[in-house]
Every structure is written in C-alpha cells, then in structure tokens.
Amino acid sequence: MYIDGIKVHEADPEKQPQPPVVEPKPYNAKTAKPPKGAIVLFDGTEKTLKNWTSGNGKPTKWKLVDGALESVRGGGYLQSKQEFGSCKLHVEFATPKEVKGSGQGRGNSGVFLMGQYEIQVLDSYNNITYPDGQCGALYGRAKPLVNASRGPGEWQTYDVTFHRPIFNDEGEVTRKAKFHVIHNGHVIHNNLELSGGTGWRGPHSISEYKKHGDKGPLKMQDHGNPVRFRNVWVIPIKD
Ligand code: MG
C-alpha cells in the first residue's frame, strides 16, 4: 500500500527521510494539570483504576506502579469504560528505563482514539525505525514532523486535539479525522487530515475508512513492553 506515493513503512531514508531530532521542551506541569471540566481518566490513584477495563470487559491486568499504569505482557489492551468522539486529550507516557530490543521492539505501545486510530508510542530515542511507525506517528499513515522524544524512563507528553471522522448513510467518509498532536511541547501533526485507518502494512490491518459509531473508548496497547502511562484526561469537543 502507498500513501502519497510513498510505501507504508518505507524505511529507506532517500524515499522517506527521518524526521529531524529536536530538543524536547521542558515538562510543563501547568498544561499537564486537567483544566476545569476535564474528565480525569487516570490520576495515579487506585480510585481511577475503575475507569478502565480490558478489551473483553474484565478488570485490566495492567499494574499500578508508582502512580502509573504499566502495560503487562499478554495483559491485552487497556481500555477506558467511557467512550469519546472528538476531544482534547492529555496523556503522559514513559518507555522502559531498561533499554531492551530495537526498532519496533523497544518500548512499543500506542494511544488509540476511538479504540482504533493509533498515535504510536515507542522509544524513539536513538532508535531508528520506519518513520511512519516511530514515536508520535499516526501508525502507517503519517510520520511526526519532528522527533521530540525523551530518553528511556523519562516522562513524555502528548497533547492531542482530535476531530472524529463523519460518515454518511452509505458508509462513505464525509469528513476525515483530523489530528493536531503536540509531543513534549513540539507540534508533530499540524491539523493533519488522516487519509484512512491506521495499522500495520498487512492487508488485514491498515485499511481505508470503515464506518463506525460516533464514539469509542480510549485504548492503550500492550505490545509486550512495560510502558507506563499517567495523567490521562479528556475534554469532549462538539462536532
Ligand atoms: Mg504501537
């Protein structure tokens, strides 16, 4: 599959250059704080664990560690009980301090809007992979404008404004999804119109838009690496 003439997961830097590495901006505790009216999905406490479930509706197997939710190998996706459409989202993540593996195998997770549109989470600090799968990529669809990654074990932020796709009765997309994503203070997607679903290049993964409902859960991926999340809040946006 090709997007704008470039093969999905193109790794040749002559055909798909690596995003330039930039210095992450200092952690901003102010923008990390949920504004009035935000729905706080996780604040580090056991109390907010009840906002989450596993994909099959059972309690999540992810662990509460030092005020963060940590992915457990084989634990499956972490899924919010509440569902959202267009929204603003703040989420913080840290890839494992102990560096293991390389490429897609190092600190892999992901944040899925409406349960399906993935903003990749990966340890992309001195770890080259195909640009449309590095940290901050809309997986398989769009590489980040810059690589603003912090090092392993350090807390990083995503501040996202997401407009959901809208479909007509025939199942055609009439308004594509739009992502504005700020990673560690740098804009990595500037009101980007998503060309279709995100996913791996295989035929049963990345695909064109398929009609779905107005809302879906927020999901975090278990990709076998103990990636941590904290400070997760959402503000729904009117369409
Ligand atoms: Mg992932």
Side-chain angles (χ1 to χ4, degrees):
M1 186 163 170
Y2 288 76
I3 291 162
D4 295 333
I6 298 172
K7 205 164 70 185
V8 171
H9 306 338
E10 179 59 75
D12 180 349
E14 306 241 309
K15 293 176 184 157
Q16 177 60 291
Q18 289 282 329
V21 174
V22 295
E23 189 68 32
K25 296 202 178 154
Y27 178 79
N28 187 340
K30 240 191 207 162
T31 54
K33 222 177 138 206
K36 237 183 162 182
I39 297 163
V40 178
L41 292 177
F42 181 67
D43 64 3
T45 63
E46 190 141 12
K47 209 178 81 190
T48 47
L49 261 184
K50 71 169 186 329
N51 294 333
W52 301 90
T53 175
S54 66
N56 57 13
K58 294 197 177 133
T60 179
K61 290 189 176 136
W62 288 41
K63 287 186 300 195
L64 191 59
V65 186
D66 300 332
L69 265 168
E70 186 178 288
S71 171
V72 173
R73 183 186 285 271
Y77 283 76
L78 176 72
Q79 183 172 321
S80 68
K81 286 183 184 166
Q82 196 169 344
E83 300 197 335
F84 306 95
S86 302
C87 65
K88 281 179 186 282
L89 163 72
H90 175 87
V91 56
E92 302 181 11
F93 62 92
T95 61
K97 203 168 182 175
E98 192 190 334
V99 172
K100 273 189 192 165
S102 64
Q104 293 289 308
R106 185 185 294 180
N108 195 334
S109 181
V111 175
F112 291 70
L113 277 294
M114 301 189 86
Q116 59 181 303
Y117 299 107
E118 181 182 15
I119 308 171
Q120 170 73 318
V121 168
L122 194 75
D123 178 355
S124 285
Y125 187 82
N126 294 331
N127 179 37
I128 296 291
T129 186
Y130 41 85
D132 68 9
Q134 75 167 64
C135 196
L138 299 171
Y139 199 85
R141 287 280 171 189
K143 66 178 181 180
L145 294 170
V146 292
N147 179 348
S149 293
R150 289 189 203 283
E154 292 184 55
W155 282 104
Q156 313 196 44
T157 54
Y158 279 154
D159 287 283
V160 182
T161 304
F162 169 72
H163 292 275
R164 70 174 179 96
I166 295 177
F167 301 87
N168 63 16
D169 290 345
E170 284 70 50
E172 298 153 346
V173 66
T174 55
R175 187 186 80 174
K176 290 178 180 171
K178 226 184 215 183
F179 275 91
H180 192 76
V181 184
I182 299 168
H183 180 201
N184 295 331
H186 289 274
V187 173
I188 59 166
H189 298 290
N190 190 2
N191 281 313
L192 179 110
E193 200 172 68
L194 194 70
S195 52
T198 61
W200 190 66
R201 66 170 168 233
H204 302 296
S205 184
I206 193 162
S207 66
E208 303 307 327
Y209 277 105
K210 281 191 197 114
K211 187 175 178 170
H212 53 71
D214 297 353
K215 288 180 179 180
L218 184 68
K219 281 191 188 179
M220 275 73 148
Q221 189 181 39
D222 160 29
H223 204 285
N225 306 141
V227 173
R228 295 180 179 188
F229 291 90
R230 71 175 190 190
N231 286 345
V232 187
W233 52 260
V234 172
I235 303 173
I237 301 175
K238 281 200 183 106
D239 287 311

